[in-house]
């Protein structure tokens, strides 16, 4: 079976985000970009399934403007077999549009599993996997912390508020990864060299029949307000008194 892994190019998690002077968005010029960390976990899980003989091919897909192929190349260096790049003019394609583009790719590729990140750390939308499953009419399991592929089914343990929930889904299915699913591997130097020769197929949104025009308008973007200074307290009794005054207790 084929596994499709959508990987998003995002601002690296170590970068301190700066808002553009005109408030129209965040500064992206000369900023370190990386693969969304939850997508690294998705690639790792797909590779482990392939290494366990449960999958035959791992395909990394990304949607974005110039340099997005670098992110696909990272997935190939980790071990994915090939890539698909839907090249767009702009970054920040909205989740519903991403889901429609992925649906068109899935119609052509016929994967049995699609493993996405639970959310992209730039927009924190946590929408794409759910929208994709709805558009496809496939079962979905989000926030996976364990994935076991069976015969025509997949058992997924999910992290929920009250603990862990295990679901059995019929394949094909859409899964999204949570932090504790695995620890992604680093690409070794020989694999980085090998990845340069792996194919990345380029597609346009127009040939997939999807209009990428935004449906949402960003009205403003602002920095979080700075922290106001704290105080040191001498005893637990003093802390309780302060919490009572603040109405917390
Ligand atoms: P979001 O719904 O934006 O929080 O994103 C959830 C997941 O959808 C990400 O972790 C990726 O797996 C996938 N995804 C979102 N945007 C893209 C994109 N532009 N290209 C590829 N995958 C994406």
């Amino acid at each position: 079976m084929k596994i499709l892994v959508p990987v998003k190019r995002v601002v690296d998690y170590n970068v301190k985000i700066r808002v553009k002077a005109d408030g129209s968005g965040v500064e992206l010029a000369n900023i370190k970009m990386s693969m969304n960390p939850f997508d690294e976990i998705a690639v790792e899980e797909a590779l482990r399934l392939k290494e366990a003989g449960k999958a035959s091919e791992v395909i990394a897909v990304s949607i974005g403007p110039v340099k997005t192929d670098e992110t696909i190349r990272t997935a190939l260096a980790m071990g994915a077999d090939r890539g698909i790049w839907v090249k767009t003019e702009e970054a920040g394609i909205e989740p519903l549009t991403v889901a429609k583009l992925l649906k068109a790719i899935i119609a052509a590729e016929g994967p049995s599993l699609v493993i996405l990140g639970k959310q992209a750390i730039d927009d924190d939308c946590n929408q794409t996997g759910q929208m994709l499953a709805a558009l496809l009419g496939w079962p979905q399991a989000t926030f996976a912390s364990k994935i076991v592929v069976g015969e025509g089914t997949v058992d997924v343990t999910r992290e929920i508020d009250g603990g862990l929930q295990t679901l059995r889904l019929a394949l094909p299915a859409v899964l999204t990864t949570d932090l504790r699913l695995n620890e992604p591997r680093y690409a070794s130097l020989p694999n980085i060299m090998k990845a340069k020769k792996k194919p990345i197929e380029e597609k346009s949104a127009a040939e997939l029949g999807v209009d990428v025009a935004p449906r949402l308008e960003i009205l403003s973007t602002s920095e979080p307000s700075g922290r106001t200074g704290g105080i040191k307290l001498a005893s637990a009794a003093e802390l309780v008194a302060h919490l009572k005054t603040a109405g917390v207790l």
Side-chain angles (χ1 to χ4, degrees):
M1 75 170 184
K2 285 188 198 175
I3 304 181
L4 196 89
V5 187
V7 293
K8 186 175 187 188
R9 183 175 171 82
V10 297
V11 175
D12 187 86
Y13 68 94
N14 284 309
V15 170
K16 178 154 177 11
I17 302 288
R18 301 227 175 273
V19 172
K20 283 187 193 163
D22 64 1
S24 62
V26 298
E27 199 57 72
L28 291 179
N30 304 319
I31 294 275
K32 181 171 190 260
M33 306 288 284
S34 302
M35 187 190 300
N36 183 41
F38 292 108
D39 304 352
E40 287 181 355
I41 295 173
V43 174
E44 176 65 36
E45 196 63 20
L47 295 176
R48 289 187 190 186
L49 287 169
K50 188 179 168 197
E51 286 158 3
K54 302 274 184 190
S56 53
E57 193 181 28
V58 176
I59 309 161
V61 186
S62 196
I63 297 147
V66 277
K67 295 204 174 162
T68 297
D69 53 329
E70 287 175 7
T71 304
I72 300 175
R73 216 42 93 185
T74 306
L76 299 180
M78 285 174 76
D81 297 288
R82 63 187 166 94
I84 300 174
W85 176 18
V86 183
K87 201 170 175 182
T88 58
E89 292 293 316
E90 306 286 335
I93 302 296
E94 291 170 5
L96 182 57
T97 311
V98 171
K100 287 179 186 168
L101 290 165
L102 291 174
K103 184 186 175 205
I105 290 168
I106 287 161
E109 293 289 344
S112 300
L113 260 188
V114 183
I115 312 180
L116 304 93
K118 74 168 175 181
Q119 73 191 56
I121 61 164
D122 52 0
D123 58 23
D124 272 348
C125 276
N126 176 12
Q127 295 171 354
T128 310
Q130 295 89 326
M131 287 173 164
L132 176 65
L135 291 175
L136 291 166
W138 288 9
Q140 61 174 300
T142 51
F143 312 130
S145 62
K146 188 172 172 203
I147 294 174
V148 181
V149 173
E151 286 299 317
T153 59
V154 56
D155 290 358
V156 181
T157 304
R158 308 180 55 237
E159 296 191 358
I160 59 172
D161 274 353
L164 297 174
Q165 178 192 55
T166 303
L167 300 174
R168 175 161 295 168
L169 287 72
L171 294 174
V174 174
L175 313 182
T176 75
T177 61
D178 213 330
L179 202 60
R180 280 160 289 274
L181 180 60
N182 60 48
E183 269 199 36
R185 67 195 66 186
Y186 289 105
S188 65
L189 193 58
N191 285 346
I192 293 173
M193 301 312 287
K194 263 195 237 161
K196 291 187 191 215
K197 295 205 182 97
K198 292 183 181 175
I200 297 182
E201 192 185 343
E202 233 178 274
K203 290 186 179 293
S204 72
E207 75 188 87
L208 295 170
V210 178
D211 171 12
V212 297
R215 270 40 171 202
L216 305 173
E217 188 188 347
I218 296 175
L219 298 180
S220 69
T221 311
S222 55
E223 305 257 357
S225 51
R227 268 195 68 185
T228 50
I231 48 168
K232 276 193 180 169
L233 300 173
S235 67
E238 223 184 307
L239 172 64
V240 171
H242 273 279
L243 291 175
K244 278 190 176 153
T245 322
V248 179
L249 292 180

